[in-house]
Amino acid sequence: SQTIHQWPATLVQPVGSPLSLECTVEGTSNPNLYWYRQAAGRGLQLLFYSVGIGQISSEVPQNLSASRPQDRQFILSSKKLLLSDSGFYLCALAGPQDLYNEQFFGPGTRLTVL
Amino acid sequence: DAKTTQPTSMDCAEGRAANLPCNHSTISGNEYVYWYRQIHSQGPQYIIHGLKNNETNEMASLIITEDRKSSTLILPHATLRDTAVYYCIVRANSNSGYALNFGKGTSLLVTP
C-alpha cells in the first residue's frame, strides 16, 4: 500500500529564515506528487505538482520553490520565510496508472513563522 | 473544472444518516464528482467518486441526479469520528498532473 512520509510534523521558524520540507513516498513508482498549503481558516491551495524527476509545475508565484531529485522524493523550500508562509503543508500523491487520479495525502507539516 | 456549491455547515445526530448536498450545475460530460473529507489537523481523505451512476463503498454512498447538476453524499450511520470538513470536487480525469481544486467544503458536526 502507498505511504507518504512528511517531516517535520511541526516547525517554528523566524521570518527571513530558510525552509526545507521533505516528502517521501513508498509503495508506488513514478507517482504524480503535489504540495498543498492550508492557511488558518482557509481552504487547500495547490502550490506545486510534479509528474516526474526534475519536472515541477508552479501554480502560485511566491517565495517558495520545489524540487524532485528522486522519483519518490519531493522537497519544498524557501530562501527567506514570510509571515504569510505560516500554514499546514500537505504532500499528496496520485498514481500515474490510476485512471481516476485519486489522491492520497500525507500527515502534513504545521509551519509557524514568527 | 466546474464550480461546486456546498452549504457551509451541517449538524447530524450520531447514528442517523448524514446527507451532504453539492450543486455543480456547470458540470460537463467528462467530469467526475469526487468527495474528500478532512478531519481536523489531518490531510484530506478520499471518500468516493462517480460519473453518472450512483456509487457505494464501505464509507459512503454517492447519489448523482439524472441531469448531473447536483449530488448527495450519504453517510448511512454517522459516528462522532465522521465530524470533518467534506469537500465536493468536480474534475475531468487525466494523467496531466492537474491537482484537485478544493473549495471551502461543508463542516459536518456529528453530535451525541
Side-chain angles (χ1 to χ4, degrees):
Chain A
S1 62
Q2 299 165 107
T3 307
I4 304 175
H5 300 281
Q6 285 188 250
W7 63 90
T10 59
L11 188 61
V12 180
Q13 293 284 101
V15 169
S17 64
L19 173 74
S20 180
L21 300 182
E22 187 160 346
C23 169
T24 59
V25 303
E26 296 176 355
T28 184
S29 295
N30 196 26
N32 294 334
L33 296 175
Y34 308 85
W35 277 112
Y36 290 85
R37 177 173 64 196
Q38 189 171 36
R42 303 184 68 177
L44 282 148
Q45 177 188 36
L46 176 66
L47 301 175
F48 301 95
Y49 70 88
S50 170
V51 298
I53 296 173
Q55 301 178 63
I56 308 294
S57 296
S58 174
E59 290 293 305
V60 182
Q62 56 208 325
N63 67 318
L64 300 173
S65 62
S67 62
R68 186 165 176 181
Q70 300 180 46
D71 181 47
R72 300 174 194 175
Q73 185 183 31
F74 203 23
I75 298 171
L76 182 70
S77 305
S78 174
K79 292 182 180 178
K80 287 186 177 181
L81 284 169
L82 307 172
L83 287 174
S84 58
D85 291 325
S86 292
F88 190 38
Y89 287 80
L90 289 154
C91 178
L93 75 83
Q97 303 305 320
D98 183 348
L99 177 63
Y100 303 110
N101 270 317
E102 173 189 332
Q103 291 190 16
F104 298 90
F105 286 79
T109 294
R110 192 163 299 281
L111 171 67
T112 302
V113 182
L114 301 175
Chain B
D1 297 336
K3 180 182 166 71
T4 63
T5 304
Q6 298 177 253
T8 302
S9 63
M10 294 182 64
D11 292 349
C12 178
E14 187 178 19
R16 305 297 291 269
N19 297 290
L20 293 95
C22 179
N23 286 324
H24 32 77
S25 58
T26 61
I27 192 171
S28 56
N30 66 338
E31 289 183 313
Y32 285 71
V33 179
Y34 286 80
W35 283 85
Y36 281 74
R37 74 178 182 183
Q38 186 176 21
I39 295 170
H40 183 62
S41 294
Q42 297 182 23
Q45 176 191 24
Y46 165 84
I47 301 174
I48 199 168
H49 75 277
L51 183 62
K52 54 183 178 181
N53 297 322
N54 297 337
E55 302 287 343
T56 295
N57 63 20
E58 65 279 3
M59 289 182 68
S61 294
L62 174 60
I63 308 298
I64 303 174
T65 58
E66 192 167 344
D67 63 8
R68 303 210 320 125
K69 293 185 177 182
S70 66
S71 60
T72 302
L73 179 74
I74 300 173
L75 308 179
H77 304 286
T79 70
L80 299 179
R81 289 178 294 179
D82 291 323
T83 292
V85 177
Y86 288 77
Y87 298 97
C88 171
I89 301 163
V90 169
R91 56 156 291 179
N93 287 321
S94 70
N95 280 323
S96 65
Y98 285 3
L100 297 165
N101 184 13
F102 288 84
K104 299 237 176 119
T106 295
S107 180
L108 175 67
L109 176 64
V110 181
T111 56

